[in-house]
Amino acid sequence: MKDQTTEELAKTYYQAMMEASEAGNHEEVLSLFSELSKTSQEAYIEAHLTKDENGERPVPQALLAAVEARDAWRGKKLTTTESYVVVNGEDFITKTVTWENHTETTTVPVSECDYVRQYNDGLITQSELYNKLESLKKGN
């Protein structure tokens, strides 16, 4: 797929997403769309806008069906928790979301937005916010 043009890449992913959608493989639809978005923004947009023989755009419909199926499988959202840890001088946020049938945990570096939110929530002072934002600029 590396040597394909934007149009060929969009068509390849479009066909694979439609086959997965018709087979009811919703996770594959989401996976392919995510992969395409990371591979080529132009092909991503083109696949999204591709019309079928009826003049319809089936990719948005397939994505909606896949997201609805995933959400139905998860069940009702029960809790969301966040914790902050420092590893080798770098701040991280671990977020855990629990639904009736599923739990997801992600750990990501703290961003400027997270620090500003902490300041707005009264969790850190203005001088702490300044120091944290300066350390992000320096890459520390």
Side-chain angles (χ1 to χ4, degrees), residues 97-110:
V97 182
T98 304
W99 291 271
E100 290 174 318
N101 302 313
H102 180 69
T103 299
E104 281 182 18
T105 300
T106 56
T107 300
V108 294
V110 176

Side-chain angles (χ1 to χ4, degrees), residues 22-37:
E22 289 169 12
N25 189 345
H26 301 298
E27 287 301 317
E28 182 70 7
V29 172
L30 295 174
S31 175
L32 286 165
F33 202 67
S34 176
E35 184 179 313
L36 180 57
S37 72

Side-chain angles (χ1 to χ4, degrees), residues 19-138:
E19 288 172 11
S21 179
E22 289 169 12
N25 189 345
H26 301 298
E27 287 301 317
E28 182 70 7
V29 172
L30 295 174
S31 175
L32 286 165
F33 202 67
S34 176
E35 184 179 313
L36 180 57
S37 72
K38 295 173 187 169
T39 304
S40 167
Q41 284 293 310
E42 295 83 11
Y44 168 85
I45 292 167
E46 188 166 326
H48 191 78
L49 297 176
T50 299
K51 293 181 180 180
D52 64 12
E53 61 277 354
N54 300 322
E56 302 285 328
R57 292 188 184 139
V59 170
Q61 295 167 346
L63 289 170
L64 179 60
V67 169
E68 287 175 344
R70 182 191 60 203
D71 289 349
W73 171 79
R74 285 180 176 164
K76 181 181 175 186
K77 188 181 210 181
L78 301 175
T79 62
T80 300
T81 59
E82 288 184 1
S83 62
Y84 298 87
V85 295
V86 178
V87 177
N88 295 330
E90 188 174 352
D91 294 342
F92 289 88
I93 296 176
T94 298
K95 184 175 184 179
T96 303
V97 182
T98 304
W99 291 271
E100 290 174 318
N101 302 313
H102 180 69
T103 299
E104 281 182 18
T105 300
T106 56
T107 300
V108 294
V110 176
S111 68
E112 285 183 24
C113 293
D114 296 314
Y115 288 131
V116 170
R117 189 183 72 195
Q118 288 177 3
Y119 170 72
N120 289 335
D121 291 344
L123 301 174
I124 61 175
T125 65
Q126 187 174 11
S127 61
E128 288 172 316
L129 173 63
Y130 176 81
N131 290 335
K132 290 182 181 291
L133 294 178
E134 286 299 310
S135 72
L136 285 177
K137 288 180 187 176
K138 295 176 186 173

